[in-house]
């Protein structure tokens, strides 16, 4: 019997889903992101009896691959990204289990689904993800966190968040999954603290660049990123440094622009819905959460995307 978990490899929520499923079923973990998910789905071994897909925003274009896999393999999707109605209906028709809730992080959903089979320590793994993914107020996460030494668990979560920002190496990510699955404390995971500190230094260096490099447009500010940090991280730094409502960062590679959007805590607009719509308009794809979203679009559409985005963000006074 072979159990596989395809999980989002770019952030802590995805990795903690992997750690929980490894703990539960000794699942083989396959890391994926929005660039690789299609190839990963095409290459699932036929011997797989159960496939879990966690923390990945599965776009409608991937339905055909899931339909093929489910002929031989039981599929369970556990996710918190917005999902189209079409996707849900298609999954139901193929007998694919979907555990979906946009109010908690994916790891909290995995924990909740299997909590009767997990020890108390496993709740810490879900808590790290909730903190890192900014889903601390979710219905499941808030109950877990209310019983915890919050400062301790927050510090542990952010060591991992920042360490993963500094190192996207497969070796480090797999180490994080393996160590978390045995309930290791993050500050004891090899290299984690050193990597986290190096990431904090990188953030400070980018902060110094933002006033010169970022462009403000209404409630939005954007800048082009470099190889130092992820676009999500830089988008956050842009928002933080300039005190604006939405920060954006993009990188251009092979004729495509990868971009991230980050919004302030009380943002009324839904950045995931905006990214979905605007990316679709220019022949790309996008999506995400209220305050954290991303898209991949043809590079020559980037100016139009920025213009349209600034128009979506209506003038707004925070203290009426
Ligand atoms: Mn997530």
């Amino acid at each position: 019997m072979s159990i596989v978990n395809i999980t989002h490899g770019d952030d802590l929520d995805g990795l903690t889903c992997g750690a929980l499923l490894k703990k539960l079923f000794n699942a083989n973990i396959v890391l994926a992101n929005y660039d690789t998910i299609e190839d990963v789905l095409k290459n699932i071994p036929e011997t797989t009896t159960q496939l879990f897909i966690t923390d990945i925003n599965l776009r409608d274009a991937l339905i055909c691959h899931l339909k093929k896999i489910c002929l031989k393999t039981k599929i369970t999707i556990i996710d918190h990204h917005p999902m189209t109605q079409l996707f849900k209906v298609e999954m139901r028709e193929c007998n694919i289990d979907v555990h979906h809730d946009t109010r908690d992080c994916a790891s909290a959903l995995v924990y909740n689904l299997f909590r009767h089979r997990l020890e108390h320590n496993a709740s810490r793994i879900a808590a790290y993800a909730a903190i890192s993914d900014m889903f601390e107020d979710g219905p499941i996460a808030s109950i877990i966190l209310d019983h915890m030494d919050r400062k301790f668990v927050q510090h542990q979560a952010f060591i991992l968040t920042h360490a993963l920002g500094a190192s996207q190496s497969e070796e480090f990510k797999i180490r994080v999954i393996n160590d978390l699955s045995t309930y290791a404390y993050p500050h004891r995971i090899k290299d984690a603290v050193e990597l986290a500190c190096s990431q904090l230094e990188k953030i400070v260096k980018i902060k110094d660049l933002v006033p010169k490099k970022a462009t403000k447009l209404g409630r939005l500010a954007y800048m082009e990123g470099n190889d130092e940090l992820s676009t999500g991280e830089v988008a956050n730094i842009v928002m933080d440094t300039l005190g604006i409502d939405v920060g954006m960062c993009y990188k251009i590679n092979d004729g495509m622009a990868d971009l991230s959007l980050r919004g302030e805590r009380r943002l009324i607009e839904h950045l995931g819905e905006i990214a979905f719509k605007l990316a679709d308009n220019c022949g790309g794809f996008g999506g995400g959460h209220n305050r954290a979203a991303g898209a991949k679009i043809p590079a020559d559409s980037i100016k139009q995307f920025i213009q349209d985005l600034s128009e979506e963000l209506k003038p707004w006074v925070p203290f009426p």
Side-chain angles (χ1 to χ4, degrees):
M1 192 162 101
S2 159
I3 298 178
V4 174
N5 171 213
I6 301 176
T7 196
H8 194 194
D10 290 354
D11 71 13
L12 187 56
D13 192 21
L15 300 189
T16 50
C17 289
L20 288 170
L21 290 165
K22 192 170 179 68
K23 177 90 202 165
L24 282 156
F25 306 110
N26 199 22
N28 295 310
I29 311 297
V30 181
L31 302 178
N33 61 28
Y34 299 114
D35 289 330
T36 62
I37 181 67
E38 188 161 9
D39 282 338
V40 168
L41 288 173
K42 282 183 193 164
N43 290 304
I44 287 300
E46 291 207 358
T47 52
T48 307
T49 48
Q50 163 82 59
L51 173 65
F52 290 99
I53 306 175
T54 49
D55 195 35
I56 293 191
N57 195 351
L58 291 163
R59 48 189 188 271
D60 292 352
L62 300 171
I63 292 173
C64 55
H65 300 297
L66 295 167
K67 280 186 165 173
K68 214 169 144 196
I69 297 168
C70 78
L71 298 174
K72 291 189 174 156
T73 306
K74 176 76 197 143
I75 304 180
T76 304
I77 296 169
I78 308 170
D79 189 37
H80 67 140
H81 297 88
M83 212 174 254
T84 65
Q85 203 49 38
L86 170 81
F87 188 87
K88 286 184 187 170
V89 170
E90 293 271 6
M91 293 304 102
R92 209 174 302 140
E93 281 176 5
C94 305
N95 247 332
I96 293 176
D97 286 340
V98 177
H99 301 273
H100 180 248
D101 195 329
T102 56
R103 299 171 300 168
D104 266 296
C105 67
S107 193
L109 300 179
V110 173
Y111 171 77
N112 192 48
L113 189 60
F114 297 111
R115 68 181 188 285
H116 53 285
R117 302 173 62 157
L118 287 161
E119 298 133 293
H120 178 62
N121 257 336
S123 64
R124 262 192 312 114
I125 299 179
Y128 298 149
I131 292 161
S132 180
D133 239 13
M134 297 189 294
F135 276 84
E136 288 178 75
D137 298 329
I140 300 164
S142 58
I143 291 173
I144 293 175
L145 281 158
D146 281 353
H147 293 82
M148 283 185 178
D149 177 348
R150 197 173 276 253
K151 285 180 197 165
F152 176 77
V153 79
Q154 281 175 333
H155 199 168
Q156 296 286 1
F158 288 132
I159 286 173
L160 281 182
T161 308
H162 287 127
L164 288 163
S167 174
Q168 282 290 313
S169 83
E170 181 107 0
E171 187 195 346
F172 182 64
K173 290 174 183 177
I174 295 295
R175 188 188 305 154
V176 168
I177 291 175
N178 289 339
D179 288 6
L180 286 182
S181 75
T182 61
Y183 304 136
Y185 292 102
H187 78 282
R188 290 183 176 167
I189 295 176
K190 187 170 171 280
D191 299 335
V193 170
E194 294 77 8
L195 284 167
C197 285
S198 76
Q199 177 71 354
L200 294 175
E201 271 310 314
K202 280 190 199 171
I203 290 172
V204 171
K205 284 196 185 116
I206 300 279
K207 270 181 88 64
D208 291 343
L209 284 179
V210 166
K212 279 170 263 163
K213 279 192 72 183
T215 308
K216 271 197 204 183
L217 194 59
R219 293 166 57 209
L220 170 74
Y222 60 92
M223 74 181 251
E224 188 166 358
N226 55 28
D227 291 335
E228 283 280 288
L229 291 175
S230 72
T231 52
E233 191 96 53
V234 176
N236 249 330
I237 299 169
V238 168
M239 177 184 73
D240 173 291
T241 308
L242 300 176
I244 39 88
D245 291 351
V246 176
M248 169 176 164
C249 174
Y250 64 93
K251 286 182 192 176
I252 293 180
N253 274 316
D254 300 329
M256 297 298 282
D258 283 302
L259 63 94
S260 290
L261 308 174
R262 293 293 182 271
E264 59 108 2
R265 200 172 158 89
R266 288 169 301 155
L267 195 76
I268 349 170
E269 291 88 353
H270 193 296
L271 295 180
E273 285 169 11
I274 294 175
F276 178 88
K277 183 175 82 176
L278 299 185
D280 201 46
N281 287 349
C282 55
F285 60 85
H289 312 290
N290 303 39
R291 297 164 46 219
K296 191 179 189 83
I297 58 171
D300 53 13
S301 314
I302 190 76
K303 278 195 175 143
Q304 191 61 49
F305 186 98
I306 291 168
Q307 189 58 42
D308 293 348
L309 173 62
S310 78
E311 281 164 27
E312 292 280 339
L313 303 169
K314 301 267 165 7
W316 181 61
V317 186
F319 304 108

